[in-house]
Amino acid sequence: MSINKVIITGNLTRDPELRSTPAGSSVLSFGVAVNDRRRNSSTGEWENYANFVDCSIFGARAEALSKILVKGMKVAIEGKLRYSSWERDGQRRSKLDVNVDEIEFLSRSNGSESNPVAVSDIEIPPAPEITVYDEDIPF
């Protein structure tokens, strides 16, 4: 058994991009900067280092969130790591990103008090519910 769960908080690094798959499903892609602190070995001082994480949301939730999320917004994300690979110009490429299950808004756009679309004005569909029965648990 393995566990695939990611929880991060950070700021959106760019405005989200909404697109559709060939099958017609909506996909919202965006990046989140997550700070990490490390001690600088030469100065002994603590320094912040940014990690840049690509994230994706699918379906009706992607469409709803595309009207809310903007660059600079602080969010908390829970999801799963997803690996994808493809070939471009004869070179093999790959990427690890977060498939978002839950998102929480920790600030409005760029920390400002004005938001072009109020969260309460948009109905965000819930994530699909997963049911687990006692007989599914292996212990």
Side-chain angles (χ1 to χ4, degrees):
M1 183 171 110
S2 61
I3 297 172
N4 184 358
K5 185 171 191 143
V6 175
I7 299 172
I8 58 173
T9 62
N11 295 81
L12 269 66
T13 59
R14 62 184 185 274
D15 285 332
E17 176 188 347
L18 183 64
R19 62 186 198 289
S20 294
T21 65
S25 179
S26 296
V27 180
L28 185 67
S29 301
F30 56 94
V32 176
V34 179
N35 285 333
D36 191 12
R37 289 184 52 86
R38 292 185 237 156
R39 189 179 298 268
N40 183 316
S41 59
S42 56
T43 66
E45 298 291 318
W46 286 96
E47 297 177 349
N48 287 329
Y49 292 90
N51 295 295
F52 299 99
V53 181
D54 289 327
C55 301
S56 301
I57 300 174
F58 297 88
R61 297 173 76 218
E63 294 172 28
L65 288 166
S66 71
K67 299 173 182 141
I68 299 170
L69 297 175
V70 292
K71 179 181 177 178
M73 189 177 217
K74 187 169 186 79
V75 295
I77 292 178
E78 181 179 325
K80 297 174 193 68
L81 288 177
R82 185 185 62 197
Y83 175 81
S84 56
S85 63
W86 65 95
E87 191 169 315
R88 182 187 301 162
D89 301 328
Q91 292 222 307
R92 196 83 182 135
R93 310 238 179 197
S94 64
K95 171 175 143 170
L96 191 62
D97 68 350
V98 175
N99 188 352
V100 177
D101 292 326
E102 300 293 331
I103 186 166
E104 184 175 331
F105 310 107
L106 301 178
S107 76
R108 294 176 184 243
S109 60
N110 284 327
S112 71
E113 288 304 312
S114 62
N115 198 354
V117 178
V119 175
S120 59
D121 293 342
I122 295 182
E123 184 177 327
I124 300 172
E129 188 173 313
I130 300 172
T131 305
V132 177
Y133 298 99
D134 286 343
E135 57 269 12
D136 294 333
I137 300 173
F139 51 87

